Amino acid sequence: MSSTEWAQAALQSFDAVVNATEGFRGRPGQRLMAEQVARTFSSATLGKVDEEGGEAAPTRSIAVIQAGTGVGKSLAYCAPAIALALSRGTRVLISTATVALQEQLVNKDLPALAALMPQPFKFALAKGRGRYVCKLKLDRLAGTGEAEEEGEDDLFAEEEAAARAKRPRHETEARMQFYSTMAQTLSKGAWDGDRDSLDTPPEPEVWSPVAAEGASCTGKHCPAFSQCTYYDKRKELVGAQVIVANHDLLLSSLGARVLPELDNCLLVLDEAHHLPATALDQFACSMDLSRITWIERLSSRGLRIGALLEVEEIADIPKHSAQLRQTLQDLARIVMDVYGAQLKSQPNAWGPARVRVPRGELPEQLIAPLGLLAASAEGFLDALRAISKALRAEMRDKPDEAKRLSTLYAQIGMLAPRLEELHATAQLLLQDAPEGAVPAAKWFTLEVDGDFIVVKAHASPILPGTTLRNHLWSAVRGAVLTSATLTSCGHFDFFLREAGLHGDEAATTLEVPSPFNYAAQGTLIAAETHADPKNAAQFTAEMVDALLHDIARVEYGALVLFTSREQMRQAVDALPTAMRSVVLVQNALPRTQLLKRHRERVENGEPSVIFGMQSFGEGLDLPGRLCESVFITKLPFAPPDDPVGEARAEWLRAVGRDPFSELVVPATAIRLAQWVGRAIRTEDDQAHVYCYDKRLTRTSYGQRLLKGLPPFALEQRAPL
């Protein structure tokens, strides 16, 4: 079939699903989006292309689609994409940013679609390996709650061992019981080994010791391979035509063959506005300069296991190990000599003290030690790779010794990623940007852990677009990126730059408006204060007074969004006694319980007001009376102390550009649009949005922000 015929057939499949869905009303915007998805995926060239053999260069095709709330994005991309994949003999890879959307797709949208499409298809959920239990680790811990002796099986980092030593006896006994119950439930088949399917998912410090990890996994050579949850799930992926993953897994597994090859599948990125931030997180790195006893443990393990296998490359391990330990100590001392006064002078706040390196230009005295560190880490890693290769060969030749050999492999694998992180961080810190090029962000942190002072070094790229262009888009042939918030201040330019697609000839954009009548359904109340929002103390006091006045009149459900913990704390402290029972504060309860209580109150005709931060400003679906009012306490500018944002602003200023206009305002516009988007969720909703920041209507950039919001009726209110 030609690309045109493929597109037409895919759109017919979409129309058939819409017509077969009982009570479903066709939406022009949804069909417009489906048309664009069909065109995009039908024109992309998939699979290997032999350009040297005379074949034409592959056609790349990428659509960036903003689809407003209520358009029905998932059906608009799922139906045509799946129909095309089935016709072309390929697969659809859907990546989301949140677990909530993954679960909606796998548990609701895709089963409904599978029941309506003429051709059957299978779908599966892809998660990172760490979401699944390692049966070997669990079996080791189920009997004692701890690992065995160092010589046999100690797979814990030293800070975790120290935490165990401090743990009260009753906690240790409770943990032993937890692991024992978990192992029994797994062996009986009453649990599938997925952390998320436990009734109460455990805290990270409890889950981490039994979580599966790539570095310590021997795959098919593991004696528990036939009962391994992770590999069972991998088998499901092999037989699925539709795979639902997340942005973290997509980026972390590039080139690893965990997900379908990007040049031979149809890629959908939903919640795509998160992609740039995920890319920065994924390619940032850090190293601990203070807690270094793990190096000695890795060295002794490497020497012991290498000697057993007669690996010649282990001869230099003692030299590399000693050099690493000494160099890390030297680096910690130099960092404190250079930056200690700045780090120690910072007031106790949320998180560690932090100091950024201006322009990414490291002090001269740090250069030589970092070079030594990188070289020693590389030599050590080469030796570990030789041991790993020898272990895998031994496993192949001696399958009856798989358990012993797997344990040896895990002993090295548990610590090797730290060495890899040291190497990567040292390399990025040493990266010296040529004149005019973009420097990396580099910074150091200091925090106190009990009686121990911890110094860390960090580095990160500052332009997500460059990273995505090099690592993701160079491999992708056909992709659709979608979200309700991809334009900023009315334009796609900012997102395209952040996502690495600006100037890419393969990329097209489409804006599909929401079907909601915002002017009739909602009101934006710009409630001004006398105080300037930049004057935090005066503004917060006045804003809290106005907020309490307004939420006292809430009849059903409402959401208040704060820009800082301190701001939210002051509002909670100011609540009159009568109102305290009405307010639910983020983190006072687990999120699911908090939302359940909120729904119960509203259903019982009682008022219920949620106080939340950034994570409650997005992905929260509270239709109808559950959220009749949204209160935005202050414009959601990014925190001013983000080292990557600071470094990027510094570079923009250095090249004569304005970071506030070019970076801060567009990023804030997307965040604000998400926050405002909590108000109207269905065609029947009526809601009020309050914003207490007068900069929204009084400044030129505020006018830009307003252009990116739904066209609510606007009311301006003078200070109370």
Side-chain angles (χ1 to χ4, degrees):
M1 292 173 75
S2 68
S3 61
T4 304
E5 289 170 328
W6 269 330
Q8 288 173 346
L11 199 56
Q12 285 168 4
S13 291
F14 166 80
D15 289 336
V17 169
V18 169
N19 292 332
T21 305
E22 191 175 340
F24 190 83
R25 286 180 288 175
R27 305 169 189 170
Q30 188 182 50
R31 194 175 194 281
L32 184 66
M33 179 174 174
E35 286 175 10
Q36 182 65 64
V37 171
R39 271 197 305 272
T40 300
F41 284 148
S42 63
S43 59
T45 305
L46 301 180
K48 303 297 179 221
V49 173
D50 183 9
E51 292 184 58
E52 291 181 8
E55 287 189 58
T59 299
R60 296 170 59 248
S61 185
I62 299 171
V64 177
I65 305 172
Q66 174 168 293
T69 308
V71 165
K73 293 190 300 295
S74 58
L75 179 60
Y77 63 68
C78 281
I82 293 169
L84 267 164
L86 295 173
S87 297
R88 300 189 66 176
T90 187
R91 298 197 281 174
V92 180
L93 172 57
I94 303 172
S95 179
T96 78
T98 62
V99 173
L101 181 54
Q102 279 186 301
E103 290 177 345
Q104 178 190 313
L105 286 164
V106 170
N107 298 327
K108 181 183 172 187
D109 297 346
L110 289 171
L113 191 57
L116 294 172
M117 288 188 71
Q119 277 185 277
F121 66 88
K122 291 181 181 177
F123 52 90
L125 178 62
K127 296 183 182 181
R129 193 189 299 253
R131 311 298 290 187
Y132 300 105
V133 76
C134 170
K135 192 171 185 301
L136 273 190
K137 290 184 187 177
L138 182 61
D139 287 346
R140 279 195 296 267
L141 289 169
T144 63
E146 310 299 346
E148 295 170 21
E149 293 302 310
E150 158 72 24
E152 296 178 37
D153 218 3
D154 180 12
L155 303 183
F156 293 90
E158 74 279 2
E159 55 266 38
E160 291 165 343
R164 292 202 305 276
K166 294 177 188 174
R167 190 180 301 136
R169 183 176 175 180
H170 72 275
E171 279 192 30
T172 298
E173 290 173 353
R175 190 171 290 195
M176 288 167 59
Q177 182 59 46
F178 177 77
Y179 290 137
S180 177
T181 303
M182 190 187 283
Q184 290 171 16
T185 312
L186 184 67
S187 65
K188 291 175 184 173
W191 174 50
D192 64 358
D194 182 341
R195 176 187 178 277
D196 299 322
S197 65
L198 289 167
D199 289 339
T200 305
E203 294 299 317
E205 63 269 20
V206 177
W207 176 255
S208 179
V210 295
E213 281 187 310
S216 59
C217 177
T218 54
K220 64 184 178 183
H221 302 296
C222 174
F225 178 72
S226 62
Q227 301 124 29
C228 178
T229 301
Y230 172 68
Y231 280 101
D232 281 347
K233 297 294 183 182
R234 285 280 302 273
K235 289 173 195 166
E236 288 179 18
L237 299 187
V238 172
Q241 287 84 25
V242 183
I243 294 171
V244 180
N246 59 50
H247 301 343
D248 275 312
L249 181 60
L250 173 70
L251 296 179
S252 65
S253 61
L254 289 173
R257 295 180 173 271
V258 174
L259 298 172
E261 293 183 16
L262 295 175
D263 63 357
N264 197 27
C265 77
L266 307 178
L267 174 64
V268 177
L269 291 155
D270 202 342
E271 300 176 314
H273 60 284
H274 282 289
L275 185 66
T278 305
L280 284 181
D281 287 344
Q282 198 63 238
F283 294 99
C285 49
S286 65
M287 60 180 175
D288 192 328
L289 307 181
S290 305
R291 292 178 290 212
I292 58 175
T293 57
W294 63 271
I295 296 172
E296 181 60 38
R297 296 166 69 218
L298 182 57
S299 171
S300 65
R301 291 176 186 186
L303 287 169
R304 176 168 53 84
I305 296 167
L308 284 173
L309 300 169
E310 300 179 352
V311 176
E312 294 178 4
E313 288 88 344
I314 66 171
D316 287 334
I317 283 182
K319 179 185 76 175
H320 294 314
S321 171
Q323 184 69 70
L324 279 175
R325 292 197 308 277
Q326 184 59 54
T327 307
L328 284 167
Q329 289 170 345
D330 291 345
L331 281 166
R333 178 180 48 76
I334 296 168
V335 167
M336 292 308 292
D337 286 346
V338 177
Y339 299 111
Q342 286 174 265
L343 288 166
K344 289 176 180 176
S345 66
Q346 293 179 27
N348 288 331
W350 297 94
R354 180 164 57 201
V355 61
R356 187 177 60 81
V357 179
R359 300 171 299 282
E361 297 170 0
L362 288 172
E364 190 63 36
Q365 57 264 52
L366 284 170
I367 304 295
L370 280 169
L372 262 178
L373 186 75
S376 300
E378 188 164 1
F380 202 158
L381 283 168
D382 285 343
L384 294 184
R385 290 184 190 110
I387 296 169
S388 172
K389 184 178 178 182
L391 270 171
R392 287 195 298 272
E394 194 86 345
M395 287 177 201
R396 264 195 316 272
D397 298 340
K398 300 177 180 176
D400 53 325
E401 295 187 37
K403 185 164 186 178
R404 179 181 71 87
L405 295 167
S406 290
T407 298
L408 297 178
Y409 192 95
Q411 286 177 357
I412 291 179
M414 288 293 284
L415 296 175
R418 294 185 175 206
L419 186 57
E420 292 169 343
E421 192 77 351
L422 277 189
H423 185 243
T425 307
Q427 285 188 310
L428 193 48
L429 284 167
L430 285 167
Q431 195 178 88
D432 198 10
E435 190 158 345
V438 184
K442 303 170 188 178
W443 68 99
F444 300 96
T445 56
L446 173 72
E447 60 185 318
V448 177
D449 182 8
D451 299 328
F452 206 60
I453 291 178
V454 180
V455 181
K456 292 183 180 180
H458 309 257
S460 171
I462 65 173
L463 294 182
T466 303
T467 302
L468 287 166
R469 195 158 47 245
N470 294 339
H471 294 279
L472 179 66
W473 303 126
S474 58
V476 169
R477 296 283 178 76
V480 167
L481 296 83
T482 187
S483 164
T485 50
L486 294 182
T487 61
S488 178
C489 308
H491 304 283
F492 280 101
D493 293 5
F494 176 71
F495 175 75
L496 292 174
R497 280 197 303 272
E498 294 293 281
L501 293 171
H502 198 268
D504 190 327
E505 293 181 359
T508 58
T509 60
L510 173 68
E511 184 174 357
V512 182
S514 168
F516 302 158
N517 184 348
Y518 283 106
Q521 291 181 249
T523 305
L524 173 60
I525 299 162
E528 296 192 355
T529 57
H530 291 292
D532 190 314
K534 292 178 183 176
N535 184 335
Q538 289 183 7
F539 170 77
T540 300
E542 191 178 347
M543 178 277 293
V544 167
D545 284 344
L547 173 65
L548 296 184
H549 172 270
D550 290 331
I551 64 173
R553 296 182 295 173
V554 167
E555 293 183 25
Y556 296 104
L559 174 65
V560 184
L561 294 167
F562 295 90
T563 57
S564 73
R565 288 185 180 90
E566 176 59 21
Q567 192 190 49
M568 184 163 75
R569 184 194 65 76
Q570 290 187 39
V572 171
D573 288 348
L575 285 170
T577 306
M579 204 177 287
R580 288 180 181 268
S581 62
V582 171
V583 173
L584 295 165
V585 182
Q586 182 178 353
N587 296 333
L589 288 170
R591 183 181 173 115
T592 51
Q593 288 183 32
L594 184 146
L595 294 175
K596 182 184 177 190
R597 188 168 296 182
H598 175 75
R599 289 188 175 94
E600 287 171 350
R601 286 181 178 178
V602 174
E603 286 167 6
N604 290 333
E606 303 168 17
S608 182
V609 180
I610 296 173
F611 277 17
M613 302 275 294
Q614 169 67 32
S615 62
F616 274 61
E618 181 173 347
L620 201 60
D621 191 24
L622 297 171
R625 287 183 167 179
L626 292 174
C627 187
E628 292 191 324
S629 299
V630 173
F631 300 90
I632 296 170
T633 55
K634 198 174 186 180
L635 291 176
F637 290 107
D641 59 349
D642 166 41
V644 178
E646 280 180 3
R648 187 168 174 185
E650 179 182 67
W651 169 71
L652 286 169
R653 282 191 291 269
V655 294
R657 289 154 66 179
D658 176 15
F660 185 75
S661 179
E662 189 173 322
L663 181 63
V664 176
V665 173
T668 303
I670 289 178
R671 204 172 298 115
L672 182 62
Q674 282 287 340
W675 285 23
V676 169
R678 298 314 96 210
I680 305 288
R681 307 301 298 169
T682 75
E683 293 175 7
D684 301 319
D685 285 2
Q686 293 284 330
H688 292 81
V689 177
Y690 294 77
C691 179
Y692 297 97
D693 195 324
K694 63 183 177 183
R695 293 173 295 184
L696 184 62
T697 53
R698 293 290 191 94
T699 63
S700 57
Y701 64 82
Q703 295 299 319
R704 287 175 61 193
L705 296 176
L706 276 172
K707 284 181 183 173
L709 298 181
F712 289 113
L714 178 64
E715 285 183 16
Q716 289 184 256
R717 189 177 80 185
L720 295 177

